[in-house]
Amino acid sequence: MKYHQIDRKLFIKNRKNFAEKMQPKSLAVFNSNDIYPIGADSTMPFQQARDLFYLSGVDQDKSILVIFPDAPSEKHREMLFLTETNDHIAVWEGEKLTKEKAFEVSGIKNVFWLKDFEKVFFEVMTQCDTVYFNTNEHYRANVETETREARFIKWCKQQFPAHQVAKSNPILQRLRSVKDPIELELMQTACDITEKAFRRVLNFVKPGVWEYEIEAEYWHEMIRNRSKGFAYTPIIASGNNANVLHYIENNQQCKEGELILLDTGAEYANYASDLTRTIPVSGRYTKRQKEVYNAVNRVKNDATKMLVPGTDWAEYHKEVGKLMTSELLGLGLLDKADVQNEDPEWPAYKKYFMHGTSHNIGLDTHDYGLLYEPMQANMVFTVEPGIYIPDEGFGIRLEDDVVIQEKGEPFNLMRNIPIEADEIEEIMNS
């Protein structure tokens, strides 16, 4: 991996917290992701299953973690199963984790080779009543490919049909939504890399550049700072492309007078950042563009102040809707009749701001979080209002990542990334 090794204290603590919420005489199993094929002998770059990484720090395929707090034998209470490395693998792929290195990374003393999994697993399954399966229950999940985890669950149910079954996901939703200080440091690093890449782009953009050239500038700066690159598929949307919320073609030329919406956060050590800025191709916003830009920025600033312990996610979005309605009235995009006659299920402001304002962020860009429970300190949320005006040929979205504090306003992990319109103009024209 490109990133510096993470302090294993994080993973030791995460496993302890998870184990404390398990039922008596139960074990939990976590599988790595597959390496997914493209065609011929080509594959997608490996991405580790986030839950396995959260609990172990292991960033390697064909890995299995078993947690069994009540195991009669101490050596079975935490177990890691890995592909046995050898000289051939070391030459062709690079050395896999040794047992010693796996302990250094994860803090797990009992490391077995994967070839011994079924034998050891049979033994511990005779000693437990319940097995925790790790299914993906994120509210945005849409999984069409059968995962390694899903194949394991199918196999385990066939082999051990008499065992009770429980779900790991509700525990992980709760644990992962509140960040450890080590996690916050990793997310800050991701945001700092994003800052470097964005500042590079501010000095690069001019009329005539292509969206993909801007994307390449981001890639360059991210990778040279130990990131794998973008935390998600980047959006480099010039002109009316910004009004397509998930525009990812990034293949158009940027013309004088246009704006470019840049949704372009870096990852670091599997942790995501999520940044959006909207900048002028020519280095100057028009009067109208700046009016809309500043309106979006005001909504973002006021919305951010609402992110405090105890805030209800659904009510928060209603309040942001009121802020946006006021700004749209001021911009002349809505009138009082639009608001008075609005459908409560689809308020008038949704014509110009049709997506949510905030989501959890962490190991996933849209991270785990219990959205029906009040917000807590050390949760990390994006704040990303936008106004999209196809008739005027531009859309503007601004987005930062913020950490909820015990008291006061959230801490902005992107506080050093230029956002004020005047500052962006000054940098682009320096």
Side-chain angles (χ1 to χ4, degrees):
M1 296 299 111
K2 296 183 176 72
Y3 56 85
H4 295 289
Q5 186 169 312
I6 300 168
D7 191 331
R8 67 187 181 193
K9 289 189 299 185
L10 172 64
F11 310 116
I12 293 169
K13 175 186 172 184
N14 290 347
R15 290 194 300 276
K16 179 176 180 290
N17 289 342
F18 183 90
E20 287 174 350
K21 296 184 180 300
M22 293 173 65
Q23 299 174 22
K25 294 194 70 176
S26 66
L27 63 77
V29 186
F30 301 89
N31 283 270
S32 64
N33 274 338
D34 285 318
I35 297 178
Y36 292 101
I38 297 172
D41 62 346
S42 300
T43 60
M44 299 284 288
F46 177 67
Q47 288 273 357
Q48 184 58 288
R50 297 307 193 236
D51 293 329
L52 175 64
F53 185 83
Y54 177 79
L55 294 167
S56 71
V58 170
D59 212 343
Q60 181 174 297
D61 66 305
K62 298 178 183 176
S63 305
I64 304 175
L65 170 67
V66 178
I67 299 176
F68 186 8
D70 296 335
S73 172
E74 185 178 350
K75 71 177 182 179
H76 291 154
R77 290 173 190 167
E78 289 185 341
M79 294 181 286
L80 198 56
F81 294 85
L82 304 172
T83 301
E84 184 173 2
T85 190
N86 56 45
D87 292 341
H88 177 78
I89 290 173
V91 169
W92 285 90
E93 301 177 23
E95 189 172 287
K96 301 285 186 181
L97 287 172
T98 62
K99 292 183 178 183
E100 294 74 21
K101 184 63 176 179
F103 169 67
E104 186 182 320
V105 166
S106 68
I108 297 173
K109 297 177 182 177
N110 303 300
V111 181
F112 300 83
W113 297 132
L114 196 58
K115 61 185 175 62
D116 298 320
F117 175 75
E118 290 191 22
K119 177 185 174 183
V120 177
F121 192 65
F122 178 83
E123 181 180 350
V124 295
M125 285 294 278
T126 65
Q127 299 165 352
C128 77
D129 297 330
T130 303
V131 56
Y132 279 82
F133 290 139
N134 189 36
T135 52
N136 183 353
E137 298 181 21
H138 190 275
Y139 68 101
R140 289 188 175 200
N142 180 23
V143 181
E144 296 182 3
T145 303
E146 186 177 51
T147 63
R148 189 177 187 85
E149 199 77 78
R151 294 197 305 275
F152 168 78
I153 292 170
K154 189 186 300 182
W155 172 84
C156 191
K157 286 180 175 179
Q158 290 172 344
Q159 296 295 317
F160 306 98
H163 279 70
Q164 297 177 48
V165 171
K167 300 192 299 182
S168 298
N169 195 264
I171 300 175
L172 288 165
Q173 289 266 10
R174 191 175 302 281
L175 293 179
R176 279 181 50 182
S177 66
V178 179
K179 305 307 189 255
D180 181 271
I182 294 174
E183 293 183 283
L184 294 175
E185 289 178 13
L186 295 168
M187 295 184 71
Q188 183 65 75
T189 300
C191 291
D192 292 345
I193 294 170
T194 299
E195 177 193 358
K196 292 177 182 178
F198 177 63
R199 288 183 181 275
R200 180 187 182 98
V201 163
L202 286 179
N203 289 313
F204 173 77
V205 167
K206 60 184 178 182
V209 302
W210 293 77
E211 292 167 348
Y212 56 77
E213 292 181 299
I214 298 171
E215 184 177 349
E217 294 295 309
Y218 274 105
W219 275 112
H220 180 102
E221 197 65 27
M222 289 175 178
I223 290 172
R224 73 193 294 261
N225 283 282
R226 291 182 175 268
S227 168
K228 284 185 292 192
F230 295 100
Y232 49 90
T233 306
I235 298 169
I236 318 283
S238 60
N240 241 328
N241 295 332
N243 295 309
V244 180
L245 295 183
H246 292 120
Y247 172 82
I248 57 173
E249 282 79 5
N250 303 345
N251 62 2
Q252 297 299 303
Q253 193 170 31
C254 305
K255 299 179 178 62
E256 186 172 352
E258 288 183 335
L259 298 181
I260 313 171
L261 189 154
L262 305 165
D263 195 336
T264 49
E267 73 82 49
Y268 178 76
N270 293 314
Y271 282 83
S273 67
D274 194 354
L275 173 82
T276 307
R277 294 291 187 265
T278 307
I279 67 173
V281 174
S282 304
R284 300 282 180 193
Y285 298 93
T286 67
K287 180 182 178 183
R288 175 60 169 173
Q289 288 168 349
K290 189 174 282 192
E291 284 176 350
V292 177
Y293 187 101
N294 289 335
V296 174
N297 203 15
R298 284 192 294 270
V299 173
K300 188 191 78 69
N301 291 335
D302 289 342
T304 300
K305 296 172 185 176
M306 300 181 198
L307 294 176
V308 296
T311 294
D312 177 84
W313 188 78
E315 288 301 315
Y316 159 76
H317 279 90
K318 291 179 183 177
E319 292 302 312
V320 174
K322 294 176 184 177
L323 294 173
M324 183 59 78
T325 299
S326 176
E327 293 291 351
L328 292 172
L329 287 167
L331 291 168
L333 292 168
L334 295 179
D335 59 33
K336 291 182 178 179
D338 293 323
V339 179
Q340 290 169 351
N341 299 323
E342 70 183 10
D343 178 354
E345 297 300 314
W346 192 256
Y349 78 85
K350 290 283 190 180
K351 179 178 179 181
Y352 299 99
F353 173 39
M354 61 291 294
H355 58 78
T357 308
S358 295
H359 58 77
N360 296 83
I361 183 170
L363 277 169
D364 288 299
T365 305
H366 297 107
D367 205 27
Y368 283 160
L370 300 173
L371 298 180
Y372 48 83
E373 293 190 1
M375 295 180 186
Q376 300 178 46
N378 291 331
M379 288 182 170
V380 186
F381 284 92
T382 64
V383 189
E384 50 181 307
I387 295 176
Y388 308 92
I389 319 175
D391 290 345
E392 298 184 34
F394 66 89
I396 294 173
R397 180 165 68 249
L398 301 173
E399 176 182 23
D400 284 336
D401 305 338
V402 303
V403 186
I404 294 180
Q405 304 294 289
E406 289 284 358
K407 295 181 180 179
E409 294 182 19
F411 179 77
N412 189 352
L413 295 171
M414 294 179 160
R415 62 201 175 280
N416 296 324
I417 303 180
I419 191 168
E420 297 299 328
D422 292 344
E423 184 182 6
I424 286 173
E425 288 181 333
E426 181 180 347
I427 294 170
M428 294 186 74
N429 289 280
S430 61

